[in-house]
């Protein structure tokens, strides 16, 4: 028997009630009616029907779409939200309770998503409230653009575009407009917005087994926020392709779902469906804006990116596009205390990018010092061979380093090191001043700093900067083996000082410290420099391999169980030993070859 989906919950039947309690504890401006679990109503703590002199705006629906709708209760947006059980419309009695609690003489507007259960329950509650003397208007929001125009009575589904309607209606009500005027603005906003969703997975309901409707490598276009099937199941595509398809569907002239044409201004909402990282939502937003501008000829005046109306833990997103004239923008920009409405912008968007400032010394360096020499000296040829060999071996170890790092870290050591090594090779061909060893080391550090993120990037940048300073302090154009030995010692000291690691901490220094000691010892007794370099490389390899027996005391590995570490070498140490050894072999080959 397949177990239910894993959740941080208690009783699956209590999730909506417990969500409401947590929400109200989190936001002091919210309250709930004392009718749980049957009556699940969240309302503004500063509003009561007896003294409220503005139009109340009420919405609601099944739970599982958080933060919708309860997260939008607050001054300037919803006055109350009626919550049903997960994916179930709230009952009439709960809706009536909400109307009675917050509706004053100005009346209330019900903003209802276009699902049969919501329409029926809110509709019956509205009619009952009218018989009790309340002024009630209703606006149905159906912004789905995924499916062909419906022939039956169901109509288009209500999706994330509803949240934009909430803000328009709430702002109009806060401005003191009449019920008819608030309803008119909300209805107009609902007719200006279109939405389509895509997903990589269906959602998992509390206490239930997750459906496997979408197989590996598949995604669904146009599925509903309750996991109901959409327009098509297709192979997973790059987000560029997905965004283009969604925009084309929403703005299709054939369906004319939204009255948007070239030259119009629009608002864009990229909405996560519950299981999509913000990184991926921002990528989608970053692709959607230029497509709307360049391919559809639209001015994008506002962009809202985040999770506004979810489907539990569904991995997917929806895009909403709303036609936006000045009156719509003023409503969207109006202040609200609703906790889940994003911080707005006045639309004065500065340029998205500005030039990266260069360090002062860049402008003073001669062009010749930052270009590859036309003819390499003997030292330049040896340095080039060493750099090429070191970078090449790092690239070849990418998968092994990732595999080791996957067991003891975050699994990206190989990818990060490979990115740095590849850039070093590219930059060396263009502008490394190889006849000047100190400046070349400095440029290696610049290449690393530019493309290698995370801890390893900054450590190697420090490593190179310290070596550069030591070599530069020598003041001589010709770098001796002892100069290189002193540079290596200075680099290790810098990493120790700023990174906090030393010998035995299971880091790259466990390869480099033994290498430095052997190199210094052999040179001090008059050993042939090439032999000293090769012997120090052997010490680096032995030091890296010894990390299998070490307990990590620095980096992410320090959080890993000893049993796991005992079978895996430190990837940073292995990488350091590899490039050091490759450089030693290359120097030996170049020297003996010449």
């Amino acid at each position: 028997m397949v177990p239910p989906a894993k959740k941080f919950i208690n009783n699956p039947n209590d999730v909506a009630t417990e969500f409401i309690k947590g929400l109200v504890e989190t936001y002091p401006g919210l309250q709930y009616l004392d009718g749980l679990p049957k009556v699940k109503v969240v309302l503004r703590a500063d509003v009561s029907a007896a003294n409220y002199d503005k139009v109340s705006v009420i919405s609601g629906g099944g739970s599982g779409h958080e933060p919708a709708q309860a997260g939008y209760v607050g001054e300037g947006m919803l006055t109350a939200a009626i919550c049903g059980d997960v994916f179930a419309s709230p009952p009439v009695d709960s809706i009536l309770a909400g109307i009675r609690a917050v509706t004053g003489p100005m009346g209330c507007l019900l903003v209802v998503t276009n699902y049969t259960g919501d329409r029926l329950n809110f509709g019956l509650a509205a009619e009952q409230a009218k018989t009790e003397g309340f002024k009630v208007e209703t606006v149905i929001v159906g912004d789905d653009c995924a499916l062909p125009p419906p022939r039956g009575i169901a109509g288009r589904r209500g999706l994330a575009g509803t949240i934009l309607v909430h803000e328009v209606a709430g702002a109009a009500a806060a401005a003191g407009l009449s019920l008819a005027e608030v309803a008119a603005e909300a209805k107009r906003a609902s007719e200006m917005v279109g939405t389509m969703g895509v997903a990589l997975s269906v959602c998992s309901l509390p206490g239930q087994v997750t459906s496997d409707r979408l197989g590996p490598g598949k995604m669904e276009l146009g599925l509903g926020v309750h996991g109901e099937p959409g327009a098509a199941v297709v192979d997973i595509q790059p987000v560029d392709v997905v965004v283009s398809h969604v925009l084309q569907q929403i703005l299709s002239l054939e369906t004319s779902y939204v009255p948007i044409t070239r030259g119009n201004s629009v608002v864009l909402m990229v909405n996560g469906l519950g299981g999509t990282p913000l990184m991926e939502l921002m990528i989608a937003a970053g692709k959607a804006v230029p497509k709307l501008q360049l391919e559809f000829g639209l001015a994008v005046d506002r962009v809202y990116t985040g999770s506004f109306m979810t489907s539990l833990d569904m991995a997917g997103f929806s895009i909403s596009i709303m036609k936006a004239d000045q009156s719509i923008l003023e409503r969207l920009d109006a202040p609200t205390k609703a906790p889940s409405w994003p911080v707005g912008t006045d639309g004065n968007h500065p340029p998205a990018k500005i030039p990266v400032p260069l360090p002062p010394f860049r402008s003073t360096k001669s062009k010749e010092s930052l270009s590859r020499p036309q003819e390499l000296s003997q030292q330049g040829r040896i340095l080039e061979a060493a750099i090429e060999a070191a970078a090449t071996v790092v690239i070849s170890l990418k998968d092994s380093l990732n595999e080791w790092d996957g067991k003891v870290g975050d699994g990206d050591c190989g990818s990060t090191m490979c990115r740095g090594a590849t850039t070093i090779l590219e930059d060396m061909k263009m502008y490394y001043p190889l006849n000047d060893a100190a400046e070349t080391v400095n440029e290696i550090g610049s290449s690393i700093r530019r493309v290698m993120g995370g801890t390893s990037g900054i450590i190697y940048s420090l490593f190179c900067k310290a070596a550069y300073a030591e070599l530069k302090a020598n003041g001589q154009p010709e770098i001796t083996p002892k100069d290189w030995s002193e540079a290596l010692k200075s680099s290790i000291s810098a990493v120790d000082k700023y990174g906090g690691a030393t010998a035995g901490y299971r880091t790259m220094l466990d390869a480099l410290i033994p290498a430095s000691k052997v190199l210094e010892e052999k040179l001090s007794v008059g050993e042939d420099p090439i032999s000293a370099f090769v012997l120090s490389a052997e010490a680096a390899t032995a030091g890296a391999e010894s990390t299998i027996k070490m307990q990590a005391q620095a980096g992410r590995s320090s959080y890993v169980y000893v049993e796991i570490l005992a079978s895996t070498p430190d990837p940073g140490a292995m990488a350091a030993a590899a490039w050091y050894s490759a450089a030693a072999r290359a120097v030996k080959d170049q020297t003996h070859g010449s």
Side-chain angles (χ1 to χ4, degrees):
M1 182 177 178
V2 180
K6 293 187 287 185
K7 304 277 186 183
F8 287 112
I9 61 173
N10 298 305
N11 187 327
N13 297 321
D14 296 337
V15 292
T17 297
E18 294 183 345
F19 159 74
I20 290 172
K21 291 180 178 179
L23 180 74
V24 171
E25 291 290 351
T26 302
Y27 300 108
L30 304 182
Q31 292 178 319
Y32 61 85
L33 293 182
D34 187 16
L36 298 176
K38 292 184 178 180
V39 176
K40 294 186 278 289
V41 177
V42 176
L43 60 157
R44 284 172 53 182
D46 61 336
V47 170
S48 66
N51 57 20
Y52 195 51
D53 61 354
K54 292 178 179 173
V55 172
S56 295
V57 181
I58 301 173
S59 188
S63 295
H65 305 300
E66 291 72 29
Q69 307 293 342
Y72 302 110
V73 175
E75 183 180 348
M77 210 161 177
L78 297 183
T79 321
I82 323 298
C83 304
D85 290 325
V86 174
F87 293 171
S89 178
V92 173
D93 287 346
S94 292
I95 301 168
L96 270 172
I99 293 173
R100 293 168 184 151
V102 299
T103 304
M106 294 287 285
C108 73
L109 172 67
L110 304 180
V111 180
V112 183
T113 50
N114 189 31
Y115 295 97
T116 302
D118 289 341
R119 287 202 321 270
L120 291 174
N121 285 293
F122 275 88
L124 180 53
E127 294 306 313
Q128 177 62 34
K130 290 176 185 177
T131 68
E132 297 178 10
F134 293 102
K135 298 177 183 177
V136 183
E137 292 289 344
T138 302
V139 169
I140 307 293
V141 182
D143 54 318
D144 184 18
C145 296
L147 303 175
R151 298 177 181 176
I153 62 172
R156 297 160 61 192
R157 299 173 292 195
L159 301 175
T162 308
I163 310 306
L164 298 173
V165 178
H166 288 342
E167 173 64 5
V168 170
L177 272 60
S178 69
L179 176 57
E181 291 169 326
V182 173
E185 289 206 21
K187 186 174 188 304
R188 178 172 178 268
S190 72
E191 294 168 346
M192 297 287 180
V193 64
T195 301
M196 179 176 171
V198 296
L200 302 175
S201 70
V202 297
C203 55
S204 55
L205 276 67
Q208 297 188 26
V209 175
T210 304
S211 167
D212 59 355
R213 188 176 81 234
L214 289 182
K218 297 293 182 180
M219 62 184 294
E220 191 156 9
L221 306 175
L223 76 174
V225 289
H226 308 101
E228 61 268 36
V233 175
V234 299
D235 292 336
I236 293 176
Q237 301 292 322
V239 72
D240 257 346
V241 177
V242 175
V243 168
S244 291
H245 176 81
V246 170
L247 296 182
Q248 189 65 53
Q249 189 75 12
I250 295 172
L251 299 170
S252 169
L253 296 177
E254 295 179 10
T255 55
S256 297
Y257 273 146
V258 286
I260 297 174
T261 56
R262 296 185 75 86
N264 288 161
S265 293
V266 296
V267 166
L268 169 68
M269 173 178 275
V270 178
N271 168 60
L273 294 176
T276 308
L278 185 59
M279 175 187 285
E280 295 175 28
L281 299 180
M282 289 298 178
I283 291 172
K287 299 302 179 183
V289 171
K291 288 180 185 293
L292 288 169
Q293 294 168 331
L294 301 176
E295 297 177 21
F296 295 92
L298 302 173
V300 182
D301 284 346
R302 303 288 186 276
V303 179
Y304 304 105
T305 303
S307 294
F308 306 107
M309 179 184 279
T310 65
S311 182
L312 292 170
D313 56 356
M314 184 182 289
F317 67 90
S318 65
I319 290 178
S320 300
I321 305 171
M322 173 182 272
K323 185 177 181 180
D325 55 22
Q326 193 57 38
S327 63
I328 290 283
L329 293 177
E330 288 176 1
R331 296 302 187 211
L332 293 176
D333 291 343
T336 175
K337 293 183 180 179
S340 296
W341 178 253
V343 176
T345 172
D346 60 9
N348 296 322
H349 204 306
K353 59 183 177 181
I354 61 173
V356 176
L358 295 175
F361 69 83
R362 277 284 192 186
S363 59
T364 61
K365 280 188 177 181
S366 67
K367 183 177 180 182
E368 180 180 350
S369 69
L370 282 180
S371 61
R372 181 184 172 90
Q374 292 184 349
E375 185 174 345
L376 294 179
S377 64
Q378 182 183 12
Q379 179 176 271
R381 288 194 299 274
I382 294 173
L383 186 57
E384 179 185 43
I387 294 171
E388 183 173 356
T392 300
V393 78
V394 167
I395 293 170
S396 71
L397 285 173
K398 174 185 174 183
D399 291 340
S400 295
L401 293 173
N402 279 342
E403 181 181 352
W404 290 325
D405 198 36
K407 297 177 181 177
V408 301
D410 52 8
D412 67 348
C413 177
S415 299
T416 302
M417 295 288 292
C418 179
R419 191 160 55 245
T422 301
T423 302
I424 287 170
L425 291 178
E426 294 171 351
D427 291 351
M428 182 171 68
K429 294 176 183 177
M430 293 187 291
Y431 62 82
Y432 281 7
L434 292 163
N435 290 341
D436 187 329
E439 291 296 341
T440 298
V441 169
N442 195 40
E443 291 306 319
I444 291 173
S446 297
S447 299
I448 288 171
R449 189 169 63 249
R450 195 171 72 248
V451 301
M452 279 177 65
T455 304
S456 48
I458 190 63
I459 283 177
Y460 272 106
S461 296
L462 282 168
F463 187 90
C464 291
K465 184 60 70 176
Y468 166 72
E470 181 66 34
L471 294 173
K472 202 70 174 173
N474 177 48
Q476 300 298 321
E478 194 73 21
I479 305 297
T480 67
K482 287 190 176 181
D483 293 333
W484 283 113
S485 177
E486 289 301 314
L488 178 58
K489 282 178 62 179
S490 294
S491 297
I492 291 170
S493 295
V495 173
D496 183 2
K497 177 181 178 181
Y498 293 105
T502 188
Y505 274 39
R506 194 182 163 95
T507 70
M508 62 183 278
L509 294 189
D510 288 305
L512 297 179
I513 289 175
S516 177
K517 287 182 177 178
V518 169
L519 182 62
E520 184 179 23
E521 289 171 2
K522 296 300 180 184
L523 291 176
S524 67
V525 297
E527 181 88 35
D528 172 64
I530 304 303
S531 298
F533 196 1
V534 172
L535 290 171
S536 70
E538 294 174 0
T541 301
E545 292 173 349
S546 73
T547 59
I548 294 178
K549 304 174 183 176
M550 294 179 188
Q551 170 63 46
Q553 299 182 61
R556 287 191 174 92
S557 295
S558 60
Y559 307 119
V560 179
Y561 290 118
V562 176
E563 294 78 8
I564 298 175
L565 295 177
S567 61
T568 309
D570 179 71
M574 296 299 287
W579 65 253
Y580 189 95
S581 299
R585 289 193 297 271
V587 170
K588 178 181 178 181
D589 292 344
Q590 282 288 315
T591 304
H592 289 172
S594 61

